[in-house]
Amino acid sequence: MKTKEDFIEKVLYSEEEISKRVKEIAAKVSADYKDIKKPLLVVGILNGAVMFYTDLVRRLSVPVHFDFLIASSYDANSHSSGKVNILKNIDNNPKDRDILLVEDIVDSGTTMDYLITYFKTKGAASVKICTLLNKPSRRKVEVDIDYCGFEVPDEFIVGYGLDFAQHYRNLPYLGVLKRSVYSK
Ligand code: IMP
Ligand code: MG
């Protein structure tokens, strides 16, 4: 059996640190949307944002509707292709809705830039970004991030929903993947 030490370089944020930060973000989101008329349409970007999404929505005090989207801009070997496809769209009509996009990590910015424009074109009342992680050193497209959990260095991060080739999503913490795992 492989142990954590075989693939994790270091733990960046523990379960407790993540939980504390998620509560802080949820309080801020709840305050900002306290006067909304229709439920906030909280759109989770699958699969990476699942853990963050479920922890976040539990802490929101405003009415919400759940929705999910699958976008691809990333291939299995950790290089962004730069082109975004919507593989599974949301079920609700975005027109006149306040949308909160919940993402695991903003890296090049390509995915969020595309989705913001997409939902605005479809007539959303507002579109905001809530990301667990931000890796600004890798940005190719400028995006305004409304809520961010943690800023991370230019390392490959896994755990708490984030994967490397679909592995490690279920780790309860956020960790840096050892380079030896992906530079083989
Ligand atoms: P962007 O369009 O380049 O901003 O890519 C965002 C997507 O790339 C995220 O939703 C992740 O799925 C993936 N990604 C970027 N960096 C990492 C990382 O360090 N670990 C895991 N996934 C990542
Ligand atoms: Mg993703």
Side-chain angles (χ1 to χ4, degrees):
M1 277 290 277
K2 290 209 168 188
T3 64
K4 183 173 116 183
E5 286 67 37
D6 292 321
F7 53 88
I8 294 294
E9 188 68 46
K10 63 167 184 272
V11 174
L12 275 186
Y13 297 103
S14 67
E15 275 188 85
E16 292 72 26
E17 287 168 313
I18 297 168
S19 164
K20 184 168 171 277
R21 189 72 187 113
V22 172
K23 279 180 209 165
E24 289 168 0
I25 297 169
K28 202 163 182 305
V29 172
S30 300
D32 291 353
Y33 287 98
K34 68 178 184 338
D35 297 322
I36 52 162
K37 306 279 181 288
K38 283 184 205 165
L40 178 62
L41 188 57
V42 188
V43 176
I45 313 303
L46 298 175
N47 296 330
V50 158
M51 305 272 198
F52 180 41
Y53 185 100
T54 58
D55 285 343
L56 181 78
V57 288
R58 261 182 276 207
R59 301 278 171 194
L60 295 180
S61 58
V62 292
V64 300
H65 283 167
F66 280 27
D67 218 330
F68 299 94
L69 180 148
I70 301 179
S72 76
S73 79
Y74 232 65
D75 54 35
N77 55 22
S78 86
H79 294 290
S80 188
S81 68
K83 194 177 169 298
V84 179
N85 293 304
I86 295 180
L87 303 179
K88 183 234 172 280
N89 212 328
I90 61 170
D91 297 329
N92 289 270
N93 184 347
K95 193 168 166 15
D96 301 328
R97 298 298 301 266
D98 290 302
I99 294 178
L100 184 66
L101 298 173
V102 177
E103 173 66 305
D104 53 358
I105 181 167
V106 179
D107 186 43
S108 71
T110 315
T111 310
M112 284 300 106
D113 177 63
Y114 178 85
L115 292 179
I116 288 262
T117 309
Y118 175 80
F119 285 119
K120 283 188 174 160
T121 310
K122 296 278 174 191
S126 70
V127 191
K128 283 191 183 184
I129 296 175
C130 179
T131 184
L132 175 68
L133 303 178
N134 181 23
K135 210 192 270 180
S137 54
R138 298 242 315 162
R139 202 70 91 247
K140 285 189 199 136
V141 194
E142 214 183 295
V143 278
D144 282 334
I145 295 175
D146 301 280
Y147 309 96
C148 172
F150 307 104
E151 210 162 272
V152 294
D154 188 8
E155 304 271 13
F156 205 83
I157 320 291
V158 293
Y160 193 67
L162 288 91
D163 73 309
F164 172 68
Q166 303 303 327
H167 293 289
Y168 318 118
R169 289 195 198 273
N170 65 328
L171 297 175
Y173 54 85
L174 286 156
V176 173
L177 187 66
K178 276 195 175 170
R179 280 179 191 271
S180 58
V181 176
Y182 56 87
S183 58
K184 268 183 268 195

